[in-house]
Amino acid sequence: MSELSIFSEDEVTLLVSLPYKVGVWVSHADDEDGEADDEREMKALAMCLKAVAKEYDGPGLVDDIARETLKREPFWLEWTDQAYNILPDCEKALALLKEKAGLQEAKNFKSALLEIGSTVAQAYGEFNSFDEIPEDEGFFGGIVNKVVGGFSGLSKDDANHPMNISASEDSAISQLAAALKIDE
């Protein structure tokens, strides 16, 4: 049985929609002309959701949430339309997780949401040949490892450094991080 069973259906919907909505929200923070950036960012979002589901595989909620997000792909278009004011939902979700599942689960969810937002922000600039990248396990792990801790050897001028994103995406990620602050 999924660990999501401790939540009501409305609570589950809030939790499983947020990973997708966060990616869309960051993507819309900097919308260039044309569709190329949107397509790459949405591919990065889908791949990152798969990576998060694998990264946190095991006991805990984050992997269950990510897998349920993927299962509910038919709702993604609806969630896209709801992705313009996600910060209050982020705060609500963390409070809910902290109350019902504990502080560590809330922290894990926060980390996953920040991973997703950062990956989407980097998708257009970083993955110039995104269409040619295979959807395999090694690539998923590579995305998550880069976002989680793989930047330590990079200078701020490196093309793959997380600060090498647009100012509006950087602002969106800062706002997201502030909304995901957890009082211990």
Side-chain angles (χ1 to χ4, degrees):
M1 176 180 265
S2 166
E3 292 194 40
L4 287 170
S5 63
I6 64 172
F7 300 101
S8 72
E9 182 53 37
D10 286 344
E11 292 168 339
V12 170
T13 299
L14 169 68
L15 294 172
V16 303
S17 67
L18 266 179
Y20 185 81
K21 287 178 182 178
V22 162
V24 170
W25 185 73
V26 170
S27 175
H28 289 166
D30 183 33
D31 200 19
E32 292 188 12
D33 289 337
E35 298 296 318
D37 63 324
D38 296 331
E39 289 173 14
R40 287 186 183 152
E41 289 169 343
M42 290 303 98
K43 283 183 181 181
L45 173 55
M47 293 175 80
C48 192
L49 288 170
K50 291 175 186 175
V52 168
K54 289 182 180 187
E55 178 73 12
Y56 292 93
D57 196 22
L61 280 171
V62 174
D63 58 330
D64 289 345
I65 290 169
R67 281 192 290 278
E68 190 64 27
T69 303
L70 291 166
K71 285 181 192 173
R72 295 189 186 195
E73 185 176 352
F75 295 99
W76 288 6
L77 185 57
E78 178 184 334
W79 293 347
T80 296
D81 293 339
Q82 300 168 356
Y84 293 97
N85 188 22
I86 64 160
L87 299 180
D89 286 345
C90 290
E91 293 169 2
K92 183 178 177 182
L94 285 185
L96 175 66
L97 282 168
K98 186 177 169 189
E99 175 189 334
K100 288 194 170 184
L103 180 61
Q104 190 56 52
E105 292 293 355
K107 286 180 176 182
N108 290 346
F109 191 64
K110 170 186 177 172
S111 294
L113 292 179
L114 288 171
E115 287 174 14
I116 291 166
S118 295
T119 299
V120 169
Q122 296 168 56
Y124 186 60
E126 182 177 354
F127 302 125
N128 289 327
S129 301
F130 204 90
D131 292 327
E132 300 168 14
I133 297 173
E135 292 190 25
D136 65 15
E137 202 171 300
F139 179 69
F140 294 141
I143 287 177
V144 174
N145 287 338
K146 273 187 170 183
V147 175
V148 173
F151 294 111
S152 59
L154 301 176
S155 75
K156 68 178 181 169
D157 297 323
D158 191 302
N160 293 324
H161 192 282
M163 294 307 294
N164 200 0
I165 60 176
S166 73
S168 55
E169 288 170 329
D170 184 48
S171 175
I173 291 171
S174 294
Q175 291 173 38
L176 178 63
L180 293 171
K181 187 173 186 295
I182 300 174
D183 295 326
E184 297 185 36

Coordinates of all heavy atoms in Angstrom, one line a residue, residues 69-107:
T69 N 2.4 11.3 -9.7 CA 2.4 12.4 -10.6 C 2.5 11.9 -12.0 O 1.7 12.4 -12.9 CB 3.6 13.4 -10.3 OG1 3.5 13.8 -9.0 CG2 3.6 14.6 -11.3
L70 N 3.3 10.9 -12.3 CA 3.5 10.3 -13.6 C 2.2 9.6 -14.0 O 1.8 9.7 -15.2 CB 4.7 9.4 -13.6 CG 6.0 10.1 -13.5 CD1 7.1 9.1 -13.2 CD2 6.4 10.9 -14.8
K71 N 1.6 8.9 -13.1 CA 0.3 8.2 -13.4 C -0.8 9.1 -13.8 O -1.7 8.7 -14.6 CB -0.1 7.3 -12.2 CG 0.7 6.1 -12.0 CD 0.1 5.3 -10.8 CE 1.0 4.3 -10.3 NZ 0.6 3.7 -9.0
R72 N -0.8 10.3 -13.3 CA -1.8 11.2 -13.5 C -1.5 12.2 -14.7 O -2.0 13.3 -14.8 CB -2.1 12.0 -12.3 CG -2.7 11.1 -11.1 CD -3.2 11.9 -10.0 NE -3.6 11.1 -8.9 CZ -4.3 11.4 -7.9 NH1 -4.8 12.7 -7.8 NH2 -4.6 10.6 -6.9
E73 N -0.7 11.7 -15.6 CA -0.4 12.5 -16.8 C -1.6 13.1 -17.5 O -1.6 14.2 -18.0 CB 0.5 11.7 -17.8 CG 1.0 12.5 -18.9 CD 1.9 11.8 -19.9 OE1 2.3 10.7 -19.5 OE2 2.2 12.4 -20.9
P74 N -2.7 12.4 -17.6 CA -3.9 13.0 -18.2 C -4.4 14.3 -17.6 O -5.1 15.1 -18.2 CB -5.0 11.9 -18.0 CG -4.2 10.6 -17.9 CD -3.0 11.0 -17.2
F75 N -3.9 14.6 -16.4 CA -4.3 15.9 -15.7 C -3.3 17.0 -15.9 O -3.5 18.1 -15.5 CB -4.4 15.6 -14.2 CG -5.6 14.7 -13.8 CD1 -5.4 13.4 -13.5 CD2 -6.9 15.2 -13.8 CE1 -6.4 12.6 -13.2 CE2 -7.9 14.4 -13.5 CZ -7.7 13.1 -13.2
W76 N -2.1 16.7 -16.6 CA -1.1 17.6 -16.7 C -1.5 18.9 -17.4 O -1.1 20.0 -17.0 CB 0.1 17.0 -17.4 CG 0.9 16.0 -16.6 CD1 0.6 15.6 -15.4 CD2 2.1 15.4 -16.9 NE1 1.5 14.7 -14.9 CE2 2.5 14.5 -15.9 CE3 2.9 15.4 -18.0 CZ2 3.6 13.7 -15.9 CZ3 4.1 14.6 -18.0 CH2 4.4 13.8 -17.0
L77 N -2.3 18.8 -18.5 CA -2.8 20.0 -19.1 C -3.6 20.9 -18.2 O -3.4 22.1 -18.1 CB -3.6 19.6 -20.4 CG -4.1 20.8 -21.2 CD1 -2.9 21.6 -21.7 CD2 -4.9 20.3 -22.4
E78 N -4.5 20.3 -17.4 CA -5.3 21.0 -16.4 C -4.3 21.6 -15.4 O -4.5 22.8 -15.0 CB -6.2 20.0 -15.7 CG -7.1 20.6 -14.6 CD -8.0 19.6 -13.9 OE1 -8.3 18.6 -14.6 OE2 -8.3 19.8 -12.8
W79 N -3.3 20.9 -14.9 CA -2.4 21.4 -13.9 C -1.6 22.6 -14.5 O -1.2 23.5 -13.8 CB -1.5 20.3 -13.4 CG -2.2 19.3 -12.6 CD1 -3.5 19.3 -12.1 CD2 -1.6 18.0 -12.2 NE1 -3.7 18.2 -11.4 CE2 -2.6 17.3 -11.5 CE3 -0.4 17.4 -12.4 CZ2 -2.4 16.0 -10.9 CZ3 -0.3 16.1 -11.9 CH2 -1.2 15.4 -11.2
T80 N -1.3 22.5 -15.8 CA -0.5 23.6 -16.4 C -1.3 24.9 -16.3 O -0.7 26.0 -16.0 CB -0.3 23.3 -17.9 OG1 0.5 22.2 -18.0 CG2 0.4 24.5 -18.6
D81 N -2.6 24.8 -16.5 CA -3.5 26.0 -16.3 C -3.5 26.5 -14.9 O -3.9 27.7 -14.6 CB -4.9 25.7 -16.8 CG -4.9 25.5 -18.3 OD1 -4.0 25.9 -19.0 OD2 -5.9 24.9 -18.8
Q82 N -3.2 25.7 -13.9 CA -3.2 26.0 -12.5 C -1.9 26.4 -11.9 O -1.7 26.5 -10.7 CB -3.8 24.8 -11.7 CG -5.2 24.4 -12.1 CD -5.6 23.1 -11.4 OE1 -4.8 22.4 -10.8 NE2 -6.8 22.7 -11.7
A83 N -0.9 26.5 -12.8 CA 0.5 26.6 -12.3 C 1.0 28.0 -12.2 O 2.2 28.3 -12.1 CB 1.4 25.8 -13.3
Y84 N 0.1 29.0 -12.1 CA 0.6 30.4 -12.1 C 0.7 31.0 -10.7 O 1.3 32.0 -10.5 CB -0.4 31.2 -12.9 CG -0.2 30.9 -14.4 CD1 -1.0 30.0 -15.0 CD2 0.9 31.4 -15.1 CE1 -0.9 29.6 -16.3 CE2 1.1 31.0 -16.4 CZ 0.2 30.1 -17.0 OH 0.4 29.7 -18.3
N85 N 0.1 30.3 -9.7 CA 0.2 30.8 -8.3 C 0.4 29.6 -7.4 O -0.4 29.3 -6.5 CB -1.1 31.5 -7.9 CG -1.0 32.2 -6.6 OD1 0.1 32.5 -6.1 ND2 -2.1 32.4 -6.0
I86 N 1.6 29.0 -7.5 CA 1.9 27.8 -6.8 C 2.5 28.0 -5.4 O 2.5 27.1 -4.6 CB 2.8 26.8 -7.6 CG1 4.2 27.5 -7.8 CG2 2.1 26.4 -8.9 CD1 5.2 26.5 -8.1
L87 N 3.0 29.1 -5.1 CA 3.8 29.3 -3.9 C 2.9 29.0 -2.6 O 3.4 28.4 -1.7 CB 4.4 30.7 -3.8 CG 5.4 30.9 -4.9 CD1 6.0 32.3 -4.8 CD2 6.5 29.9 -5.0
P88 N 1.6 29.5 -2.5 CA 0.8 29.2 -1.4 C 0.6 27.6 -1.3 O 0.6 27.1 -0.2 CB -0.5 29.9 -1.6 CG -0.1 31.0 -2.5 CD 1.0 30.5 -3.4
D89 N 0.4 27.0 -2.4 CA 0.3 25.5 -2.4 C 1.5 24.8 -1.9 O 1.4 23.8 -1.2 CB -0.1 25.0 -3.8 CG -1.5 25.3 -4.2 OD1 -2.3 25.7 -3.3 OD2 -1.8 25.2 -5.4
C90 N 2.7 25.4 -2.2 CA 4.0 24.8 -1.7 C 4.0 24.9 -0.2 O 4.3 23.9 0.5 CB 5.2 25.5 -2.3 SG 5.4 25.2 -4.1
E91 N 3.7 26.0 0.3 CA 3.7 26.2 1.8 C 2.6 25.2 2.4 O 3.0 24.6 3.5 CB 3.3 27.6 2.1 CG 4.4 28.6 1.7 CD 4.0 30.1 1.8 OE1 2.8 30.4 2.2 OE2 4.8 30.9 1.4
K92 N 1.5 25.1 1.9 CA 0.4 24.3 2.4 C 0.9 22.8 2.4 O 0.7 22.1 3.3 CB -0.9 24.5 1.6 CG -2.0 23.7 2.0 CD -3.3 24.0 1.2 CE -4.5 23.1 1.6 NZ -5.6 23.4 0.7
A93 N 1.5 22.4 1.2 CA 1.9 21.0 1.1 C 3.0 20.6 2.1 O 3.0 19.6 2.7 CB 2.4 20.8 -0.3
L94 N 4.0 21.5 2.4 CA 5.0 21.3 3.3 C 4.4 21.2 4.7 O 4.8 20.3 5.5 CB 6.1 22.3 3.3 CG 7.1 22.2 2.1 CD1 8.2 23.2 2.2 CD2 7.6 20.8 1.9
A95 N 3.5 22.1 5.1 CA 2.9 22.0 6.4 C 2.1 20.7 6.6 O 2.2 20.1 7.6 CB 2.0 23.2 6.6
L96 N 1.4 20.3 5.5 CA 0.7 19.0 5.5 C 1.6 17.8 5.7 O 1.4 17.0 6.6 CB -0.1 18.9 4.2 CG -0.9 17.6 4.0 CD1 -2.0 17.5 5.0 CD2 -1.4 17.6 2.6
L97 N 2.7 17.8 5.0 CA 3.6 16.7 5.1 C 4.3 16.7 6.5 O 4.4 15.6 7.1 CB 4.7 16.8 4.0 CG 4.3 16.4 2.6 CD1 5.3 16.8 1.6 CD2 4.1 14.8 2.6
K98 N 4.7 17.8 7.0 CA 5.3 17.9 8.3 C 4.4 17.4 9.3 O 4.8 16.6 10.2 CB 5.7 19.3 8.6 CG 6.5 19.5 9.9 CD 7.0 20.9 10.0 CE 7.5 21.1 11.4 NZ 7.8 22.6 11.7
E99 N 3.1 17.8 9.3 CA 2.1 17.4 10.2 C 1.8 15.9 10.2 O 1.8 15.2 11.2 CB 0.8 18.2 10.0 CG -0.4 17.7 10.9 CD -1.7 18.4 10.5 OE1 -1.7 19.5 9.9 OE2 -2.7 17.8 10.8
K100 N 1.6 15.3 9.0 CA 1.1 14.0 8.8 C 2.2 12.9 8.6 O 2.0 11.8 8.9 CB 0.1 13.9 7.7 CG -1.3 14.5 8.0 CD -2.3 14.1 7.0 CE -3.7 14.5 7.4 NZ -4.7 14.0 6.5
A101 N 3.3 13.4 8.1 CA 4.4 12.4 7.7 C 5.7 12.7 8.4 O 6.6 11.8 8.3 CB 4.5 12.3 6.2
G102 N 5.9 13.8 9.0 CA 7.1 14.1 9.7 C 8.0 15.1 8.9 O 7.9 15.3 7.7
L103 N 8.9 15.7 9.7 CA 9.8 16.7 9.2 C 10.7 16.2 8.1 O 10.9 16.9 7.1 CB 10.7 17.2 10.3 CG 11.7 18.3 10.0 CD1 11.0 19.5 9.4 CD2 12.5 18.6 11.2
Q104 N 11.2 14.9 8.2 CA 12.1 14.4 7.1 C 11.4 14.3 5.8 O 12.0 14.6 4.7 CB 12.7 13.1 7.6 CG 13.9 12.7 6.6 CD 15.0 13.7 6.5 OE1 15.5 14.2 7.5 NE2 15.3 14.1 5.3
E105 N 10.2 13.8 5.8 CA 9.4 13.7 4.5 C 9.2 15.1 3.9 O 9.3 15.3 2.7 CB 8.1 13.0 4.8 CG 8.2 11.6 5.1 CD 8.8 10.7 4.0 OE1 9.0 11.1 2.9 OE2 9.0 9.5 4.3
A106 N 8.9 16.1 4.8 CA 8.7 17.5 4.3 C 10.0 17.9 3.6 O 10.0 18.6 2.6 CB 8.3 18.4 5.4
K107 N 11.2 17.7 4.3 CA 12.5 18.1 3.7 C 12.8 17.4 2.4 O 13.3 18.0 1.5 CB 13.6 17.8 4.7 CG 13.6 18.7 5.9 CD 14.7 18.3 6.9 CE 14.9 19.3 8.0 NZ 16.0 19.0 8.9

